[in-house]
Structures are given as structure tokens and as C-alpha cells.
Amino acid sequence: MNDESVKQPDDIKPPVTHIGAIGWIRANLFNSAFNSVLTLLILFCLWKTVPPFVKWAFIDSVWATGSEGCRNADGACWSVIPSNIRFIMFGFYPADRQWRPLTAMILLLVLLMRGGVPGLVTVESTQWGGLPLTLLLSVFGLAAAYPVGIVLALGRQSRMPAIRSLCVIYIEMIRGVPLISLLFMSSIIFPLFLPEGVTINKILRAQVAIIMFTAAYVAEVVRGACRPCPGASLKRPIPSVSTIVRPCG
């Protein structure tokens, strides 16, 4: 027998079931009885949910029709989005003055939203809404929450038990409550405790709730960034923060 025709053990390729896509599937999805059952269960759930969703969202959907067509459609009615795009973008803001919140989205200027200056009719904040208001609350909320979060992070690392306890209670309590709950309390519950005749702007209340919520998470981010840094110590928080020039970890 010719020696060249005999393959050495190193030249023998592994079975197809151990390499490539089949090998990966076998090694990661069907490597045990539990994983095999779990994989089959997930595939069954996908088979039951994905095709009906695709059929509802794309195949049987309608894209340009009226209200009657939407009611009779078997799938999604996407025509409701272009029909209500102005309401989605601007809420109840007057239609003939919607150029102002559109400009505010670009410039982030509250002045154009409210008006009250020569050439601009005043629009009360009760009529503000849509995407411009969301962007304004988010931008100003993050900007105001950052310094508050730093103060909370330093307070949580303080050597004074009273300050440390107050900061811990605040951070953990706020982080344990969903943002939607804080917004609900600020807009519905909080006014019930105000004296008769005293009112606080609802946008201001929502802004404070967003700042309180975001500051608690910023405090934990700052505190977590301080700990891995060289020289970071619970007893000396301020030098630790002052030496952070990039995320540590």
C-alpha cells in the first residue's frame, strides 16, 4: 500500500456535526437535555408569535386609508400615524403657531414656546405638549440632575452618619420607584396637598420629578466611577471625584 494514500490522524477532518454552524448549534443549543428542551420551547414560541406578528404588521396591514378602512382591516392600520403626526409632534399646541415649537426643537429655547415678547403671542404652558416638550424636559432635566447627582454621591460617601443616611435613603427610595409613578404623583397627587388657591405649574412639577429621578441614578454612576480609581476612598470622596478624567473600570 502506498504510504502517501494513507492519511495521518492529524490530516483527518472532524465530523461535520462538530464544526461550522451545525457544530455551534450542537455545542450551544443542544449540548444537554435541559438546553435542548429550552431551545425547542423558544423555537415553538417564536413560531407561534413571529409569523402572526409579521402578518399583522406588514402583510395584512393598511398604510393609506380612512377610519372605515382601519376598522375593517385585518392587520395594523399605519395610516393613523401620518394622519395624527401633528398631534404626536405638538400635542394640543395651536396649529397656526406650531412653527414655534418646531423651532424650539432645534434651538431648545423656551422663549419661543411661551412667547410674550414683541411679535409672539403668548401660549400658556397648559397647551404645550408633544415632542418639543419632551425634549425640553429631558435636556434640562439631565443638565440639572448631574450636579445634584454629584452632591448625592459625595453625601453617600460622607463620614457624617446623618448626611450619609439621608443620601442613601433618598437614592434607594427614588431608584425603587418607576418614573411614571413620580410623574403621576407630581401631576395628580401633589396638588391635592397644596393650600387652596396655591398652584404650581404642571410642567415645573414634572421637571422636578425628572430631576429627582435622574439625580438618583447619576449619583450611583458617579459613586461607581470613583471606587475603581487609584486613590479613591470612602473617607476622601472629593479628591477622588476631582481626579476623574475619563470613565474608570
Short mmCIF file of all heavy atoms in Angstrom, two decimals, residues 75-119:
data_model
loop_
_atom_site.label_atom_id
_atom_site.label_comp_id
_atom_site.label_asym_id
_atom_site.label_seq_id
_atom_site.Cartn_x
_atom_site.Cartn_y
_atom_site.Cartn_z
N GLY A 75 -55.15 43.71 9.72
CA GLY A 75 -53.84 43.94 10.30
C GLY A 75 -53.72 45.33 10.89
O GLY A 75 -54.72 45.98 11.22
N ALA A 76 -52.48 45.77 11.02
CA ALA A 76 -52.22 47.08 11.60
C ALA A 76 -52.67 48.19 10.66
O ALA A 76 -52.65 48.04 9.44
CB ALA A 76 -50.73 47.23 11.90
N CYS A 77 -53.09 49.29 11.26
CA CYS A 77 -53.51 50.46 10.49
C CYS A 77 -52.45 51.54 10.68
O CYS A 77 -52.52 52.34 11.62
CB CYS A 77 -54.89 50.94 10.94
SG CYS A 77 -55.48 52.37 10.02
N TRP A 78 -51.45 51.55 9.81
CA TRP A 78 -50.36 52.51 9.94
C TRP A 78 -50.73 53.90 9.45
O TRP A 78 -50.00 54.86 9.70
CB TRP A 78 -49.14 52.01 9.16
CG TRP A 78 -48.61 50.71 9.67
CD1 TRP A 78 -48.63 49.51 9.02
CD2 TRP A 78 -47.98 50.45 10.93
NE1 TRP A 78 -48.06 48.52 9.78
CE2 TRP A 78 -47.64 49.07 10.97
CE3 TRP A 78 -47.67 51.25 12.03
CZ2 TRP A 78 -47.02 48.49 12.06
CZ3 TRP A 78 -47.04 50.66 13.12
CH2 TRP A 78 -46.72 49.29 13.13
N SER A 79 -51.85 54.02 8.78
CA SER A 79 -52.25 55.34 8.28
C SER A 79 -52.61 56.29 9.42
O SER A 79 -52.69 57.50 9.21
CB SER A 79 -53.45 55.20 7.33
OG SER A 79 -54.55 54.61 7.99
N VAL A 80 -52.82 55.75 10.63
CA VAL A 80 -53.15 56.62 11.76
C VAL A 80 -51.95 57.48 12.14
O VAL A 80 -52.12 58.57 12.71
CB VAL A 80 -53.60 55.76 12.96
CG1 VAL A 80 -52.43 54.97 13.53
CG2 VAL A 80 -54.24 56.62 14.04
N ILE A 81 -50.72 57.04 11.82
CA ILE A 81 -49.54 57.83 12.18
C ILE A 81 -49.42 59.09 11.34
O ILE A 81 -49.33 60.19 11.90
CB ILE A 81 -48.28 56.95 12.08
CG1 ILE A 81 -48.34 55.82 13.12
CG2 ILE A 81 -47.02 57.79 12.29
CD1 ILE A 81 -47.17 54.89 13.09
N PRO A 82 -49.43 59.00 10.00
CA PRO A 82 -49.39 60.27 9.24
C PRO A 82 -50.61 61.14 9.46
O PRO A 82 -50.52 62.37 9.38
CB PRO A 82 -49.26 59.81 7.78
CG PRO A 82 -49.74 58.40 7.77
CD PRO A 82 -49.38 57.84 9.10
N SER A 83 -51.76 60.52 9.77
CA SER A 83 -52.97 61.31 9.99
C SER A 83 -52.89 62.11 11.28
O SER A 83 -53.53 63.16 11.41
CB SER A 83 -54.20 60.40 10.02
OG SER A 83 -54.35 59.71 8.79
N ASN A 84 -52.12 61.62 12.26
CA ASN A 84 -52.02 62.28 13.56
C ASN A 84 -50.61 62.76 13.86
O ASN A 84 -50.25 62.94 15.03
CB ASN A 84 -52.49 61.33 14.67
CG ASN A 84 -53.94 60.94 14.54
OD1 ASN A 84 -54.83 61.65 14.98
ND2 ASN A 84 -54.19 59.79 13.93
N ILE A 85 -49.80 62.94 12.82
CA ILE A 85 -48.41 63.31 13.05
C ILE A 85 -48.29 64.65 13.75
O ILE A 85 -47.41 64.87 14.59
CB ILE A 85 -47.64 63.32 11.71
CG1 ILE A 85 -46.14 63.49 11.96
CG2 ILE A 85 -48.18 64.39 10.78
CD1 ILE A 85 -45.51 62.37 12.71
N ARG A 86 -49.19 65.59 13.45
CA ARG A 86 -49.13 66.89 14.11
C ARG A 86 -49.42 66.76 15.60
O ARG A 86 -48.78 67.41 16.43
CB ARG A 86 -50.12 67.86 13.46
CG ARG A 86 -49.64 68.41 12.12
CD ARG A 86 -50.61 69.47 11.60
NE ARG A 86 -50.09 70.09 10.39
CZ ARG A 86 -49.30 71.16 10.39
NH1 ARG A 86 -48.94 71.71 11.53
NH2 ARG A 86 -48.87 71.68 9.25
N PHE A 87 -50.40 65.92 15.95
CA PHE A 87 -50.71 65.73 17.37
C PHE A 87 -49.57 65.01 18.08
O PHE A 87 -49.24 65.32 19.23
CB PHE A 87 -52.00 64.94 17.52
CG PHE A 87 -52.39 64.69 18.95
CD1 PHE A 87 -52.96 65.69 19.71
CD2 PHE A 87 -52.16 63.46 19.54
CE1 PHE A 87 -53.30 65.47 21.04
CE2 PHE A 87 -52.49 63.23 20.86
CZ PHE A 87 -53.07 64.24 21.61
N ILE A 88 -48.95 64.04 17.42
CA ILE A 88 -47.82 63.33 18.02
C ILE A 88 -46.66 64.28 18.25
O ILE A 88 -45.96 64.20 19.27
CB ILE A 88 -47.40 62.15 17.12
CG1 ILE A 88 -48.53 61.12 17.03
CG2 ILE A 88 -46.12 61.50 17.63
CD1 ILE A 88 -48.27 60.01 16.04
N MET A 89 -46.45 65.19 17.32
CA MET A 89 -45.31 66.10 17.41
C MET A 89 -45.57 67.27 18.35
O MET A 89 -44.69 67.68 19.11
CB MET A 89 -44.97 66.64 16.02
CG MET A 89 -44.44 65.59 15.06
SD MET A 89 -42.77 65.07 15.45
CE MET A 89 -41.86 66.56 15.09
N PHE A 90 -46.80 67.81 18.33
CA PHE A 90 -47.05 69.07 19.02
C PHE A 90 -48.17 69.01 20.05
O PHE A 90 -48.41 70.01 20.73
CB PHE A 90 -47.38 70.17 17.99
CG PHE A 90 -46.34 70.34 16.93
CD1 PHE A 90 -46.57 69.91 15.64
CD2 PHE A 90 -45.12 70.90 17.23
CE1 PHE A 90 -45.61 70.06 14.65
CE2 PHE A 90 -44.15 71.06 16.26
CZ PHE A 90 -44.39 70.63 14.96
N GLY A 91 -48.87 67.91 20.19
CA GLY A 91 -49.94 67.83 21.18
C GLY A 91 -51.07 68.78 20.84
O GLY A 91 -51.53 68.86 19.70
N PHE A 92 -51.53 69.55 21.86
CA PHE A 92 -52.65 70.48 21.68
C PHE A 92 -52.18 71.89 21.32
O PHE A 92 -52.96 72.83 21.41
CB PHE A 92 -53.49 70.54 22.97
CG PHE A 92 -54.19 69.25 23.28
CD1 PHE A 92 -53.67 68.37 24.21
CD2 PHE A 92 -55.37 68.91 22.64
CE1 PHE A 92 -54.31 67.18 24.51
CE2 PHE A 92 -56.01 67.72 22.91
CZ PHE A 92 -55.49 66.85 23.85
N TYR A 93 -50.93 72.02 20.94
CA TYR A 93 -50.41 73.34 20.59
C TYR A 93 -51.19 73.88 19.38
O TYR A 93 -51.48 73.12 18.44
CB TYR A 93 -48.93 73.25 20.25
CG TYR A 93 -48.17 74.53 20.48
CD1 TYR A 93 -47.66 74.84 21.73
CD2 TYR A 93 -47.97 75.43 19.44
CE1 TYR A 93 -46.95 76.00 21.94
CE2 TYR A 93 -47.26 76.60 19.65
CZ TYR A 93 -46.76 76.88 20.90
OH TYR A 93 -46.07 78.04 21.11
N PRO A 94 -51.56 75.17 19.38
CA PRO A 94 -52.35 75.72 18.27
C PRO A 94 -51.70 75.46 16.92
O PRO A 94 -50.50 75.65 16.74
CB PRO A 94 -52.40 77.23 18.58
CG PRO A 94 -52.21 77.30 20.06
CD PRO A 94 -51.30 76.17 20.43
N ALA A 95 -52.52 75.02 15.97
CA ALA A 95 -51.99 74.61 14.67
C ALA A 95 -51.33 75.75 13.92
O ALA A 95 -50.32 75.55 13.23
CB ALA A 95 -53.12 74.00 13.82
N ASP A 96 -51.87 76.96 14.06
CA ASP A 96 -51.31 78.08 13.31
C ASP A 96 -50.03 78.62 13.93
O ASP A 96 -49.40 79.53 13.37
CB ASP A 96 -52.34 79.21 13.19
CG ASP A 96 -52.80 79.70 14.56
OD1 ASP A 96 -52.67 78.94 15.54
OD2 ASP A 96 -53.29 80.84 14.64
N ARG A 97 -49.62 78.07 15.09
CA ARG A 97 -48.40 78.54 15.74
C ARG A 97 -47.41 77.39 15.99
O ARG A 97 -46.52 77.50 16.82
CB ARG A 97 -48.73 79.23 17.06
CG ARG A 97 -49.70 80.40 16.91
CD ARG A 97 -49.87 81.17 18.21
NE ARG A 97 -50.88 82.21 18.05
CZ ARG A 97 -52.11 82.12 18.52
NH1 ARG A 97 -52.48 81.04 19.19
NH2 ARG A 97 -52.98 83.10 18.35
N GLN A 98 -47.58 76.29 15.29
CA GLN A 98 -46.72 75.14 15.52
C GLN A 98 -45.31 75.33 14.99
O GLN A 98 -44.43 74.52 15.29
CB GLN A 98 -47.36 73.89 14.89
CG GLN A 98 -48.57 73.39 15.66
CD GLN A 98 -49.22 72.18 15.02
OE1 GLN A 98 -48.83 71.76 13.94
NE2 GLN A 98 -50.23 71.63 15.68
N TRP A 99 -45.07 76.38 14.22
CA TRP A 99 -43.71 76.65 13.79
C TRP A 99 -42.82 77.02 14.97
O TRP A 99 -41.60 76.83 14.93
CB TRP A 99 -43.70 77.78 12.75
CG TRP A 99 -44.16 79.11 13.30
CD1 TRP A 99 -45.43 79.60 13.33
CD2 TRP A 99 -43.33 80.10 13.91
NE1 TRP A 99 -45.45 80.84 13.92
CE2 TRP A 99 -44.17 81.18 14.28
CE3 TRP A 99 -41.96 80.20 14.18
CZ2 TRP A 99 -43.70 82.32 14.91
CZ3 TRP A 99 -41.49 81.34 14.80
CH2 TRP A 99 -42.35 82.39 15.16
N ARG A 100 -43.43 77.52 16.03
CA ARG A 100 -42.64 77.92 17.18
C ARG A 100 -42.07 76.73 17.94
O ARG A 100 -40.86 76.69 18.22
CB ARG A 100 -43.49 78.82 18.08
CG ARG A 100 -43.66 80.22 17.48
CD ARG A 100 -44.86 80.95 18.00
NE ARG A 100 -44.91 81.00 19.46
CZ ARG A 100 -45.86 81.64 20.13
NH1 ARG A 100 -46.82 82.27 19.48
NH2 ARG A 100 -45.86 81.64 21.44
N PRO A 101 -42.86 75.70 18.32
CA PRO A 101 -42.24 74.53 18.94
C PRO A 101 -41.30 73.78 18.01
O PRO A 101 -40.34 73.16 18.45
CB PRO A 101 -43.43 73.66 19.35
CG PRO A 101 -44.55 74.13 18.52
CD PRO A 101 -44.33 75.59 18.31
N LEU A 102 -41.57 73.86 16.69
CA LEU A 102 -40.66 73.23 15.75
C LEU A 102 -39.29 73.91 15.79
O LEU A 102 -38.25 73.25 15.77
CB LEU A 102 -41.24 73.29 14.34
CG LEU A 102 -40.43 72.61 13.24
CD1 LEU A 102 -40.29 71.12 13.54
CD2 LEU A 102 -41.08 72.82 11.88
N THR A 103 -39.30 75.23 15.89
CA THR A 103 -38.04 75.96 16.04
C THR A 103 -37.41 75.69 17.40
O THR A 103 -36.18 75.60 17.52
CB THR A 103 -38.29 77.46 15.87
OG1 THR A 103 -38.96 77.69 14.62
CG2 THR A 103 -36.98 78.24 15.89
N ALA A 104 -38.26 75.54 18.42
CA ALA A 104 -37.74 75.26 19.76
C ALA A 104 -37.03 73.92 19.83
O ALA A 104 -36.08 73.75 20.60
CB ALA A 104 -38.87 75.31 20.78
N MET A 105 -37.49 72.95 19.03
CA MET A 105 -36.81 71.65 19.00
C MET A 105 -35.38 71.81 18.49
O MET A 105 -34.49 71.07 18.91
CB MET A 105 -37.58 70.67 18.11
CG MET A 105 -38.81 70.09 18.76
SD MET A 105 -39.50 68.72 17.81
CE MET A 105 -40.03 69.57 16.34
N ILE A 106 -35.17 72.75 17.60
CA ILE A 106 -33.84 72.96 17.05
C ILE A 106 -33.00 73.83 17.99
O ILE A 106 -31.84 73.55 18.26
CB ILE A 106 -33.93 73.59 15.66
CG1 ILE A 106 -34.74 72.68 14.72
CG2 ILE A 106 -32.55 73.84 15.07
CD1 ILE A 106 -35.02 73.28 13.36
N LEU A 107 -33.57 74.87 18.49
CA LEU A 107 -32.82 75.83 19.31
C LEU A 107 -32.92 75.56 20.81
O LEU A 107 -32.14 76.11 21.59
CB LEU A 107 -33.32 77.26 19.03
CG LEU A 107 -33.26 77.72 17.57
CD1 LEU A 107 -33.84 79.12 17.44
CD2 LEU A 107 -31.83 77.68 17.06
N LEU A 108 -33.89 74.74 21.22
CA LEU A 108 -34.11 74.45 22.63
C LEU A 108 -34.30 75.73 23.44
O LEU A 108 -33.71 75.93 24.50
CB LEU A 108 -32.95 73.61 23.21
CG LEU A 108 -32.78 72.21 22.65
CD1 LEU A 108 -31.57 71.54 23.26
CD2 LEU A 108 -34.02 71.37 22.89
N LEU A 109 -35.12 76.60 22.93
CA LEU A 109 -35.39 77.85 23.61
C LEU A 109 -36.83 77.87 24.11
O LEU A 109 -37.78 77.75 23.33
CB LEU A 109 -35.16 79.04 22.67
CG LEU A 109 -33.72 79.24 22.18
CD1 LEU A 109 -33.65 80.40 21.21
CD2 LEU A 109 -32.79 79.48 23.36
N VAL A 110 -36.99 78.01 25.40
CA VAL A 110 -38.33 78.07 25.98
C VAL A 110 -39.03 79.36 25.58
O VAL A 110 -40.26 79.42 25.53
CB VAL A 110 -38.24 77.97 27.51
CG1 VAL A 110 -39.62 77.99 28.15
CG2 VAL A 110 -37.50 76.71 27.92
N LEU A 111 -38.26 80.38 25.25
CA LEU A 111 -38.85 81.66 24.90
C LEU A 111 -39.81 81.55 23.74
O LEU A 111 -40.90 82.13 23.74
CB LEU A 111 -37.74 82.67 24.58
CG LEU A 111 -38.20 84.06 24.13
CD1 LEU A 111 -38.99 84.73 25.24
CD2 LEU A 111 -37.00 84.91 23.74
N LEU A 112 -39.44 80.79 22.72
CA LEU A 112 -40.30 80.64 21.56
C LEU A 112 -41.54 79.82 21.89
O LEU A 112 -42.59 79.98 21.26
CB LEU A 112 -39.53 80.00 20.41
CG LEU A 112 -38.43 80.85 19.78
CD1 LEU A 112 -37.73 80.07 18.67
CD2 LEU A 112 -39.00 82.14 19.23
N MET A 113 -41.44 78.91 22.86
CA MET A 113 -42.60 78.11 23.24
C MET A 113 -43.64 78.97 23.93
O MET A 113 -44.84 78.84 23.67
CB MET A 113 -42.17 76.97 24.16
CG MET A 113 -41.37 75.88 23.48
SD MET A 113 -42.39 74.74 22.53
CE MET A 113 -43.19 73.83 23.84
N ARG A 114 -43.21 79.84 24.80
CA ARG A 114 -44.14 80.63 25.59
C ARG A 114 -44.56 81.92 24.90
O ARG A 114 -45.71 82.31 24.94
CB ARG A 114 -43.54 80.96 26.96
CG ARG A 114 -44.47 81.79 27.83
CD ARG A 114 -43.96 81.91 29.24
NE ARG A 114 -44.85 82.74 30.04
CZ ARG A 114 -45.97 82.32 30.59
NH1 ARG A 114 -46.36 81.07 30.40
NH2 ARG A 114 -46.74 83.12 31.30
N GLY A 115 -43.63 82.59 24.24
CA GLY A 115 -43.96 83.86 23.61
C GLY A 115 -43.92 84.98 24.64
O GLY A 115 -43.14 84.98 25.58
N GLY A 116 -44.83 85.96 24.46
CA GLY A 116 -44.88 87.08 25.38
C GLY A 116 -43.91 88.18 25.07
O GLY A 116 -43.75 89.12 25.86
N VAL A 117 -43.23 88.09 23.94
CA VAL A 117 -42.31 89.15 23.51
C VAL A 117 -42.89 89.77 22.25
O VAL A 117 -43.78 89.20 21.62
CB VAL A 117 -40.90 88.58 23.25
CG1 VAL A 117 -40.31 88.02 24.52
CG2 VAL A 117 -40.94 87.51 22.17
N PRO A 118 -42.43 90.95 21.87
CA PRO A 118 -42.98 91.60 20.67
C PRO A 118 -42.94 90.69 19.45
O PRO A 118 -41.92 90.13 19.10
CB PRO A 118 -42.05 92.82 20.48
CG PRO A 118 -41.57 93.13 21.86
CD PRO A 118 -41.43 91.80 22.54
N GLY A 119 -44.11 90.52 18.85
CA GLY A 119 -44.22 89.69 17.66
C GLY A 119 -44.64 88.27 17.93
O GLY A 119 -44.95 87.53 16.99
#
